[in-house]
């Protein structure tokens, strides 16, 4: 990405909760840095275009120095035209009585066409982050619909889970979040995910001996894995500002590089750690030269193996369900 010309950033679901918390931070430079101007493209369904236009008016009223332009459209081809970053936030929520297969199919109807539009219109080096749930499988569907775009460019967001895990651990230990290192989220962005502290340190000390296995199993893992449901219960709506903040973190680190510690992201598996090739699974990752690399060689004790396998089995079942529906091409 050149610093001189604006970077085109497409955001879907722009009139939604996360969109409202995300767009102003992108425009302020929090995602691509203080020297990079941004050209925003907001994609919405026709019935929400007017609301997105209202958000565009507010973006204008902020007089952001880095904001080059804002366009609102209901056309994926227009939204992704020349896009270097695509944040796929808009998704179909689960309705009352809706089966999982129906949810997958409804979302395939969104992420298949958007993947094709990215394939046909986006910039060569496009980076895609899928936030809309079920994020991992939506990323798989979008990637399958974009055969000309390398798979590694389609990622799913598990950074919110990662940030939740770091925050929970820091609160338990009474330390700063910046003292925590080596936390990993494995698998699916769902309650089956495995927040792993095996290799975590706090202030350089191994975390498992500081907190004990009992706390990890009975409090930490369920707390992090079910935090999305806790937010819905307490707030009365699903996480929005924290999800937007995690999306900013994911793209910032992808583009600008991870600083001195690894993070977690849903990336297409290359078979590492026994995760079947092609599944979009969360791994420990570093961003090196603008590409996510899975951190290799970490010990995986039996307890971790079982939990990684369980979440990966859920991802494989989701993949099989969308394949049976003929949605993977
Ligand atoms: P929301 O309902 O407030 O907004 C979603 C928006 O997407 C709506 O404005 C809707 O009109 C739009 N939309 C629907 N279909 C679209 C399409 N085909 N093209 C463009 N826009 C479309 O929801 P929200 O709170 O902003 O959440 C968005 C998604 O993010 C949900 O699927 C939610 O479950 C998910 N989420 C993921 C994470 C994560 O960590 N991965 C965290 C929180 C929420
Ligand atoms: C979250 O982790 O907060 C969301 O994915 C929860 C949800 O179901 O929207």
């Amino acid at each position: 990405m050149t610093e001189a010309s604006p970077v085109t950033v497409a955001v879907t679901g722009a009139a939604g909760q996360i969109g409202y918390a995300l767009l102003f931070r992108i425009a302020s430079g929090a995602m691509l840095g203080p020297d990079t101007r941004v050209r925003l493209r907001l994609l919405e369904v026709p019935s929400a275009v007017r609301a997105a236009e209202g958000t565009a008016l507010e973006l204008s009223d902020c007089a952001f120095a880095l904001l080059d332009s804002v366009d609102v459209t209901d056309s994926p081809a227009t939204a992704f035209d020349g896009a270097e970053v695509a944040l796929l936030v808009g998704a179909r929520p689960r309705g009352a009585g809706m089966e999982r297969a129906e949810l997958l199919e409804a979302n395939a109807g969104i992420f298949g066409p958007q993947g094709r539009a990215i394939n046909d219109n986006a910039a060569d080096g496009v980076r895609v982050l899928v936030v809309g749930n079920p994020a991992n499988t939506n990323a798989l569907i979008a990637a399958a619909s974009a055969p000309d775009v390398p798979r590694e460019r389609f990622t799913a967001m598990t950074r919110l889970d990662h940030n939740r895990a770091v925050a929970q651990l820091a609160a338990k230990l009474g330390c700063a979040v910046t003292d925590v290192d080596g936390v990993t989220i494995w698998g699916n962005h769902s309650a089956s995910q495995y927040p792993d502290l095996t290799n975590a340190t706090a202030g350089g000390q191994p975390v498992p001996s500081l907190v004990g296995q009992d706390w990890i199993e009975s409090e930490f893992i369920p707390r992090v894995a079910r935090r999305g449901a806790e937010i819905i219960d307490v707030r009365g709506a699903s996480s929005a500002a924290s999800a937007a903040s995690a999306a900013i973190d994911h793209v910032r680190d992808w583009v600008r590089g991870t600083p001195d510690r690894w993070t977690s992201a849903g990336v297409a598996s290359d078979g590492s750690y026994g995760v079947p090739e092609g599944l979009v699974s969360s791994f420990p990752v570093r961003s090196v030269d603008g590409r996510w690399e899975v951190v290799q060689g970490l010990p995986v004790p039996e307890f971790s193996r079982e939990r990684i396998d369980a979440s990966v089995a859920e991802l494989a079942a989701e993949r099989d369900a969308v394949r049976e529906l003929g949605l993977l091409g």
Side-chain angles (χ1 to χ4, degrees):
M1 279 177 200
T2 62
E3 307 283 35
S5 58
V7 171
T8 301
V9 178
V11 179
T12 78
Q17 292 197 87
I18 294 176
Y20 196 70
L22 180 62
L23 290 163
F24 297 85
R25 293 196 61 202
I26 298 172
S28 74
M31 187 171 81
L32 297 176
D35 301 320
T36 304
R37 286 185 301 134
V38 179
R39 186 188 290 135
L40 280 173
R41 297 266 175 68
L42 314 189
L43 180 68
E44 258 298 347
V45 294
S47 59
V49 159
R50 188 160 166 77
E53 284 170 349
T55 303
L57 295 181
E58 283 202 79
L59 281 161
S60 166
D61 291 350
C62 293
F64 284 121
L66 296 172
L67 186 58
D68 185 77
S69 59
V70 186
D71 296 300
V72 183
T73 180
D74 61 4
S75 157
T78 304
F80 296 124
D81 185 25
E84 289 156 88
V85 177
L87 295 156
L88 309 190
V89 180
R92 172 85 186 273
R94 189 194 285 267
M98 204 173 184
E99 296 298 329
R100 192 166 186 83
E102 283 177 83
L103 182 71
L104 291 169
E105 190 170 15
N107 277 295
I110 295 173
F111 289 87
Q114 289 185 359
R116 272 191 292 287
I118 288 169
N119 189 71
D120 296 346
N121 299 283
D124 283 347
V126 65
R127 290 177 166 92
V128 182
L129 172 62
V130 177
V131 175
N133 281 322
N136 301 54
T137 298
N138 288 340
L140 186 73
I141 291 166
S145 306
D148 303 331
V149 180
R151 292 254 159 158
E152 65 179 42
R153 304 279 178 65
F154 283 86
T155 63
M157 192 166 92
T158 56
R159 182 61 174 265
L160 178 55
D161 310 293
H162 181 95
N163 288 348
R164 288 166 170 165
V166 169
Q168 288 296 324
L169 182 58
K172 167 76 175 169
L173 293 173
C175 69
V177 289
T178 45
D179 291 335
V180 171
D181 196 3
V183 170
T184 301
I185 305 295
W186 299 91
N188 203 359
H189 172 67
S190 75
S192 78
Q193 68 179 259
Y194 173 43
D196 179 11
L197 296 182
T198 307
N199 302 291
T201 58
Q205 301 293 310
V207 159
S209 56
L210 293 176
V211 296
Q213 189 64 15
D214 187 47
W215 179 79
I216 292 174
E217 287 185 40
S218 60
E219 293 195 41
F220 172 75
I221 293 174
R223 193 80 198 269
V224 173
R226 296 191 198 128
R227 185 67 158 185
E230 184 182 350
I231 300 291
I232 291 170
D233 182 38
V234 177
R235 183 175 177 260
S238 68
S239 61
S242 55
S245 194
I248 295 278
D249 290 347
H250 177 114
V251 175
R252 184 201 57 223
D253 285 357
W254 193 358
V255 171
R256 299 163 71 86
T258 36
D260 52 352
R261 62 197 71 203
W262 79 63
T263 183
S264 304
V267 298
S269 176
D270 61 0
S272 292
Y273 296 100
V275 179
E277 206 176 333
L279 285 182
V280 178
S281 174
S282 189
F283 284 99
V285 290
R286 284 199 179 89
S287 170
V288 180
D289 298 330
R291 299 175 60 167
W292 288 120
E293 287 179 0
V294 173
V295 177
Q296 299 293 342
L298 298 175
V300 180
E302 190 57 31
F303 176 81
S304 298
R305 185 75 265 162
E306 284 170 14
R307 275 154 186 79
I308 294 170
D309 288 350
S311 193
V312 168
E314 184 182 61
L315 285 173
E318 290 183 10
R319 176 203 56 200
D320 293 347
V322 293
R323 187 182 277 155
E324 273 169 35
L325 292 165
L327 300 172
L328 288 186

